[in-house]
Amino acid sequence: MLSATCILTLTTNVSYAIQVYKSIGTHGEVKYSQHPPQNSKNVEVIEFRSDGRQADAGQLAGKTDANQNNNAQNPEEQRVAQLEARIKDQEANANAQRCQSLRNNLTNLNVGGRIYEMDTSGKRQYLDSREIEVKRERVQQAISQYCS
């Protein structure tokens, strides 16, 4: 009789479990719903007990299962990693362009001849040899600092 009461209590608690569906939207946003999402590939079912705690408490944040692959990324982490990689590539390209521009400027300064800059009114301001040498040193320092 006692074992039947325990089984009845266990089945009663299970009937009060709440299922929540976690999915990733089309724009990478995380969505939670009581109803299974339609047309979604990455769906995680989370069960909560009647007291509001997660039904599988040993799976805190999905990181404690010894058989779980800790290197696997969820879709949100994958999206962030892809964005970070894209930003890193863009910064590398911008840095390469900046270095090429600095090298071109140094080449122009080393060629010789008359070198000028445009002033605020749009007139040519020719540089003397001392100003050219100062510019050459500054460009060389920038190349040393930013270009490897």
Side-chain angles (χ1 to χ4, degrees), residues 58-138:
Q59 299 295 320
L60 183 62
K63 300 293 184 190
T64 58
D65 186 1
N67 298 326
Q68 184 176 2
N69 183 2
N70 288 335
N71 293 333
Q73 293 180 329
N74 67 35
E76 180 67 16
E77 290 171 338
Q78 289 175 351
R79 188 177 69 82
V80 169
Q82 289 172 347
L83 288 173
E84 288 173 347
R86 189 179 315 151
I87 289 170
K88 188 175 179 181
D89 287 344
Q90 289 173 347
E91 288 174 348
N93 288 339
N95 193 35
Q97 289 176 349
R98 191 176 310 115
C99 287
Q100 186 59 45
S101 177
L102 287 168
R103 288 186 180 107
N104 290 344
N105 287 345
L106 183 61
T107 300
N108 289 338
L109 290 169
N110 287 332
V111 166
R114 296 185 72 188
I115 297 176
Y116 65 89
E117 291 180 339
M118 300 299 270
D119 64 11
T120 55
S121 63
K123 294 182 182 178
R124 290 182 181 182
Q125 197 72 352
Y126 287 95
L127 304 177
D128 62 22
S129 60
R130 182 187 53 79
E131 292 169 325
I132 293 172
E133 186 59 34
V134 168
K135 288 220 178 269
R136 211 180 273 139
E137 289 174 7
R138 287 184 185 161

